[in-house]
Amino acid sequence: MTPSLPELVARLGRWSAGRGPLSLLLAARIRQLVDEGMLPPGAPLPPDRRLATALSVGRTTVVAAYETLRQEGRLVRRQGSGTRVAPTALAPPPPGAPRVTETSNPMFLHLLEPSDDVLLLSCAAPPAPPPALAEAYARLELPAHDLGYHPAGLPALRSAIARRYERRGVPTDPAQVLVTTGAQQAIGLLTRLLVAPGDGVLVEAPSYPGALDLFREAAAVPHPVPVGPDGLDVAEAVRVMERHRPALAYVIPRFHNPTGTVLPPLLGRRLVVAAEEHGVPLIDDEVLAELGFEDSGAGHEGPPPLSSYGTEVIGVGSLSKAVWGGLRIGWARGPAPLIARLARLKALHDLGSDVPSQLVAARLLDGFAPVLHSRLAELRAGHAHLRAELARRLPDWHCPPAAGGQTLWVRLPYGDGVSFAQTALRHGVAVLPGSTMDALGGSTRRLRLHFLLPPATLTEAVSRLASAWAEYAPGVEVRAASGPAALNAITV
């Protein structure tokens, strides 16, 4: 399948982070994509100027890269018909071979790149595990007699997750909980179970790109609904449900990824009522729901989930953001019959998640308040530090505060997030362009930046962004703001 221009740019990844002329670095990466079959024989490549603009390089760089690959026989260039992958560059798959969907999401592709000195502001996850996690593993006791296969999850962990819902005002039986290998697997299983090719899926615009990838893999038809200052446009979401009766709706109502907005409770209730009235399964992504910056004490369990407004809501959560991404423990909470079906589907895929990690997760959840309190303190500090540095070095960037979560939703004064991200890569920092998260095709001037790195690293990252912006926007003064200018930038 021929990638679009944004997909091609994403698949090129950190192509410019090596040493040598940019034209040779670009040729090397396109060569790799051709040889791996990511660019199939006969696939058209973007015109010189379009690709140069998207990569924020001169046209001569792209022309030279294309010419190198033409001489190697990997590309064919003809005036009037453009540039294509050579028909013999790689043998095509046999007729009837299944199509395999691979991600072009830069958030994931950056994780697959070799380690280098690029600072990753593209993938928002805690940079290191907390001491409590190591302590829990040190005290781990494996069961003496246990087969080790638990497709629905260890009973102890399912009970611990159910108790957390109980404390948040949602009565939950352990049979309503499925333990998964991270929230990504939970969303993936729900998509496989509920969505057939051609089915509609209601999504927010923008939204979490990992979920959008899963819906795209399922060949679903997205029905994007805008997100504003108060979160999802619920009135429009209700109209979409009435008109299209989507097979699934996926929302992030609290500390939305990427905008950081919070859906007011009354609107959340209206959304749930509408979903149940029209028979639309509603996924409440709760991964960030407890990461609010308002200090309510160490025992704070977060705002009530959408599950408190209706019995059919499917909650999805994980420990990847509050604890550590390497602890691959997530869950789905919903009606018991649905959870039983999901468990049978999960058994088909992996027979159950890792048992030692589940035992550790159960121990952590039974005394979770100190772990969460420590994480929130780090997030508040990182949020304040990154906003202060952006205000000081890039005061023309619009950077409103977030109510919680892990990311800032930044708007550039002008330009395009995809092309600026390419310039930023050449200055050693990876950012996530907003258009990769927006099924409406908007957010083109937006960037998502996380604030989970240590303060000194965040300062260095902003310094590199400032250098990149000076190159990207020549003639614009990039300065260290002070006094009222800095204050206004921080308090927008």
Side-chain angles (χ1 to χ4, degrees):
M1 189 173 180
T2 303
S4 65
L5 177 59
E7 290 172 338
L8 175 60
V9 171
R11 290 179 184 179
L12 289 172
R14 301 207 292 271
W15 67 272
S16 60
R19 294 184 177 181
L22 288 177
S23 60
L24 295 182
L25 295 175
L26 179 58
R29 194 49 166 255
I30 296 176
R31 181 187 302 117
Q32 181 183 6
L33 294 180
V34 170
D35 292 349
E36 291 178 353
M38 299 295 289
L39 289 173
L45 291 178
D48 308 342
R49 284 189 174 85
R50 286 193 66 205
L51 184 57
T53 299
L55 297 179
S56 193
V57 297
R59 176 173 174 262
T60 55
T61 296
V62 176
V63 171
Y66 279 175
E67 179 60 21
T68 297
L69 296 172
R70 186 197 67 78
Q71 293 176 7
E72 295 175 357
R74 286 181 169 83
L75 298 184
V76 175
R77 282 168 66 79
R78 292 190 178 93
Q79 189 170 4
S81 59
T83 303
R84 293 180 177 271
V85 178
T88 57
L90 188 72
R99 181 175 66 87
V100 177
T101 301
E102 300 178 10
T103 183
S104 60
N105 187 327
M107 182 180 69
F108 295 144
L109 294 179
H110 281 307
L111 298 177
L112 297 171
E113 294 279 358
S115 179
D116 51 31
D117 66 346
V118 173
L119 301 178
L120 294 183
L121 294 187
S122 51
C123 185
L133 182 58
E135 294 168 5
Y137 270 106
R139 298 163 63 186
L140 176 64
E141 295 182 9
L142 294 176
H145 304 285
D146 190 306
L147 190 61
Y149 297 123
H150 297 273
L154 281 178
L157 180 54
R158 297 176 80 188
S159 296
I161 295 169
R163 288 194 295 272
R164 288 190 67 72
Y165 278 99
E166 292 272 1
R167 289 194 291 268
R168 297 174 68 191
V170 183
T172 300
D173 187 276
Q176 293 178 262
V177 175
L178 172 75
V179 177
T180 60
T181 306
Q184 186 74 9
Q185 186 187 54
I187 301 169
L189 291 173
L190 286 162
T191 303
R192 285 180 177 270
L193 185 66
L194 300 174
V195 180
D199 281 349
V201 176
L202 187 156
V203 296
E204 297 165 311
S207 186
Y208 166 57
L212 299 180
D213 270 4
L214 291 170
F215 304 144
R216 190 177 299 114
E217 181 190 38
V221 177
H223 295 294
V225 177
V227 172
D230 291 324
L232 177 72
D233 183 343
V234 172
E236 177 60 22
V238 173
R239 284 192 287 269
V240 167
M241 292 181 192
E242 291 172 345
R243 294 172 189 163
H244 302 286
R245 300 296 173 96
L248 189 67
Y250 169 79
V251 298
I252 312 171
R254 289 169 302 285
F255 315 125
H256 177 262
N257 181 2
T259 67
T261 57
V262 177
L263 188 68
L266 288 178
L267 291 179
R269 185 184 297 275
R270 182 184 177 194
L271 180 67
V272 171
V273 170
E276 295 192 350
E277 178 183 344
H278 297 293
V280 178
L282 176 62
I283 296 179
D284 175 6
D285 187 331
E286 305 176 75
V287 171
L288 301 172
E290 294 180 295
L291 303 184
F293 296 157
E294 182 179 352
D295 193 352
S296 301
H300 179 54
E301 297 288 347
L306 294 185
S307 304
S308 63
Y309 306 134
T311 59
E312 301 300 310
V313 177
I314 307 163
V316 168
S318 85
L319 296 178
S320 64
K321 308 305 182 185
V323 182
W324 184 47
L327 183 63
R328 304 303 303 144
I329 295 296
W331 58 82
R333 184 265 179 209
L338 173 69
I339 294 301
R341 294 175 64 196
L342 281 177
R344 292 193 291 271
L345 182 58
K346 180 173 168 59
L348 177 67
H349 286 274
D350 64 10
L351 297 178
S353 298
D354 175 67
V355 169
S357 294
Q358 291 188 67
L359 291 168
V360 165
R363 180 182 291 275
L364 287 174
L365 285 176
D366 281 339
F368 199 53
V371 177
L372 182 59
H373 186 67
S374 176
R375 178 63 72 198
L376 290 177
E378 294 172 354
L379 289 173
R380 291 188 197 98
H383 173 264
H385 186 82
L386 179 56
R387 292 194 69 241
E389 286 299 303
L390 288 171
R392 186 173 67 88
R393 298 298 305 273
L394 292 160
D396 292 333
W397 288 19
H398 180 60
C399 181
Q406 305 178 120
T407 58
L408 295 177
W409 190 231
V410 175
R411 188 181 71 227
L412 301 176
Y414 57 85
D416 173 76
V418 171
S419 57
F420 173 71
Q422 291 294 310
T423 305
L425 274 176
R426 295 198 290 276
H427 287 262
V429 58
V431 297
L432 195 62
S435 58
T436 65
M437 314 175 74
D438 196 324
L440 277 174
S443 305
T444 56
R445 283 168 52 193
R446 296 280 188 172
L447 302 174
R448 194 195 76 172
L449 309 177
H450 77 75
F451 41 81
L452 298 169
L453 298 174
T457 308
L458 288 175
T459 297
E460 173 61 22
V462 174
S463 175
R464 297 184 187 188
L465 287 175
S467 298
W469 185 249
E471 177 186 324
Y472 182 80
V476 175
E477 182 182 0
V478 177
R479 63 190 185 281
S482 60
L487 181 61
N488 290 339
I490 293 175
T491 57
V492 167

